[in-house]
Amino acid sequence: MTNTVSPMDKSAQVAVIGAGTMGAGIAQVAAAYGHPVILFDMNPEALERGINQIKSGLERQVSRGKMTQDALDTLMANISTATEIEALSDSKLVIEAIIEDLGIKRGLLANLEATCATDAILATNTSSISVTALGAEMKNPERLVGMHFFNPAPVMKLVEIVSGLATSQEVADLTHATATAWGKQAVYTKSTPGFIVNRVARPFYAESLRIFEEGGADLATLDQVIKGAGNFRMGPFELMDLIGHDVNYAVTCSVFDAYYQDPRFLPSLTQKALVECGRLGRKSGHGFYDYAEGADKPTAAVTTGGNAPAQVQVVGDQGVANALIERMEAKGLNVEKQASDTESYIKVGNARLCLTDGRFATEVAATGNPDTALFDLALDYNTATALAVSFADQCSEDAQQDVIGLFNALDINLSVIDDIPGLVVMRTVAMLANEASDAVNQGVCTAADADVAMRGGVNYPQGPLAWADAIGVSHVFNTLSNLQQCYGEDRYRPSALLRRKFFAGAPFHG
C-alpha cells in the first residue's frame, strides 16, 4: 500500500505517556523531528530518569562526533514534562507506552478521551494486546491506532502501524506518514496476535530449539551455522539469552494461545524448564550459556581434514547453490559441469552431495546413491563462513571424508550434524517464509511490508519472502511438504498462498 498522506506538521504537539526506556526513546524520536513533546509520567522520579536517559544518550553521540551540541540543546528544548493528564489537552498525537495490562490501558484511554480534543490521535505502543480490544470501550475507537516501536526506539527503524477493527484508515495513514517523516520504516498491519514481527519470528527460535531437543546439534554449533551460513547477526540461543527467556517464552505462549494452540507456535519444553529454574539468560547470569565471570563458553563443532578433492563434478543447475560452484572455481578446484534437466547434484569422490529439500539424507539415499550427503542453505555461498551437512546412515566413511575434504578446501567451518530433515538454515528460512506468507494470505500485511518488518524490526539479513524467491518458491514448498511428511505434523503445512505461488510458478515479488 502506497501512502501519499502528508505527515503531521512539526508544530503539532506530541505527548508520550510513560517515561520508561521505551517512552523516553519515543519522546526523543518525536523531538528530534521538531515536534514540541510532553513526556508524561505520574512519578516525578521516573520523569527525571527518562530525561536523563535521553540526555546521556545524546551526550554520547556528541562525544563521538555524531551530533553537535547545538543539535542536542535544540532537541532537549523540544521536550517538557508533566505529571497531570490535563497538560496533554492540546496534543495532536498521544502515544502511551505504559505497562502491558488491558485494564490499565483502557482506563488511561478513557481519561485521554475525556481530556484531549476529538481530533487527537491516540496511539498505543503495545506489543501484545489487541488494539481492537483496547478500543472496545472507547467512545471514538476509530482514532485509536497501534504504533509499535522496537527497542531502542531511537535506533531501531521499524514501527508497526496497527489497525484495530474500528481504526479509521485516515488515522492509520496519517500515523504511518508521521512515523515515516520521523525517519522510521513504517509498515501497516492488522491487529492480530503478534502483529507482523512477533508472529513471523517464532520459527527462528522454534526450529533450532527442536533440532537441539532432537539431538541434531549442540547450541554453539546451531548458533554458528545460523550466523555463518544464514548471516543472521545473532544465533537463536544467543538471542533468546539476550531477550530473556521469561520474555521470549511468554511471547511464544501468548501467540500459541491466541491462535488456539496452532502447532506452528508450540512452545518449547526446554525453554520452559529454563524459565522454571530461573535461568533467564544474560540478566540472570545463566540461560543456555553461562555468563558467570570465567565461565567457559562452548564452541561449535567443526570437522576438519577429509580427502583433498581431485575433481568435482556438477550435474545440472544448482539453483540458489550455484554460488557454491563459483566458490569452488575461485579456489582453483577442478570443476567439471554436466548439463541435466532431470538431476541436480554435486559429485566429489564417492559422494553425491545435494542441497537439502526437507528430507532425511537417509531417505534420499534410499532412492539412489547410498553415499549421499546433504548440505544446508546459505544466504551467500561465496561469503559463508560456516555450513552444516548431514550424511545418510548408508553413507560410507570414505564418501564422508570426500565431502569433509571438499568444504575444508573451500575454507568453510563445516559442522557435521545428525541426519535432521531440512538441516538448520533451510528449515528455519522455509518456516519464516511460510509464516510471512500466511500473514499476507490472511490480510495482516503485504508481502513488501512483511519483508520490511523482519529486516527493520529484528535485523534479518533478507526479508523472508524475498529470500523464498531467491531460493525458489518451488524448493521452499517442497521443503515444507517433505518436513510435514517426515514429522507427520500440521506444524509444517505449507501456507495456502505459498501453495498457490508454487502451482502458478510465481514469486512473491515481481
Side-chain angles (χ1 to χ4, degrees), residues 268-449:
S268 162
L269 290 174
T270 298
Q271 191 173 39
K272 181 175 185 284
L274 289 177
V275 173
E276 289 175 337
C277 74
R279 291 188 176 183
L280 305 182
R282 287 180 179 269
K283 61 187 174 185
S284 71
H286 204 304
F288 282 113
Y289 297 104
D290 187 349
Y291 297 94
E293 187 176 349
D296 291 332
K297 184 172 181 179
T299 57
V302 175
T303 304
T304 58
N307 302 325
Q311 184 187 61
V312 180
Q313 186 179 25
V314 179
V315 178
D317 183 7
Q318 303 305 306
V320 71
N322 280 328
L324 183 61
I325 312 308
E326 295 171 8
R327 185 165 181 160
M328 293 178 191
E329 292 172 331
K331 286 291 183 181
L333 299 188
N334 181 11
V335 177
E336 176 190 306
K337 297 179 181 177
Q338 179 180 322
S340 175
D341 294 329
T342 58
E343 293 185 292
S344 175
Y345 64 88
I346 300 166
K347 193 169 190 309
V348 54
N350 294 320
R352 177 178 286 209
L353 189 60
C354 304
L355 176 64
T356 179
D357 64 357
R359 291 180 291 172
F360 292 101
T362 301
E363 182 181 354
V364 177
T367 65
N369 192 328
D371 286 332
T372 292
L374 302 181
F375 65 95
D376 205 357
L377 175 68
L379 179 69
D380 183 352
Y381 289 97
N382 271 311
T383 59
T385 59
L387 199 67
V389 300
S390 63
F391 295 114
D393 291 349
Q394 307 94 313
C395 189
S396 67
E397 177 62 28
D398 196 43
Q400 292 183 36
Q401 293 303 313
D402 289 333
V403 171
I404 292 167
L406 171 63
F407 285 106
N408 277 294
L410 300 177
D411 294 327
I412 291 175
N413 289 312
L414 182 69
S415 293
V416 176
I417 71 169
D418 196 22
D419 188 13
I420 294 289
L423 294 175
V424 183
V425 181
M426 180 64 84
R427 73 188 271 173
T428 298
V429 172
M431 286 292 280
L432 290 170
N434 199 44
E435 199 54 50
S437 173
D438 219 39
V440 174
N441 192 54
Q442 294 168 2
V444 174
C445 60
T446 65
D449 275 359

Side-chain angles (χ1 to χ4, degrees), residues 2 14 19 90 125 137 186 203 208 226 235 263 278 280 288 292 295 326 350 363 375 399 409 421 448:
T2 301
V14 174
D90 293 331
N125 183 56
E137 296 180 359
S208 284
I226 286 285
L280 305 182
F288 282 113
E326 295 171 8
N350 294 320
E363 182 181 354
F375 65 95

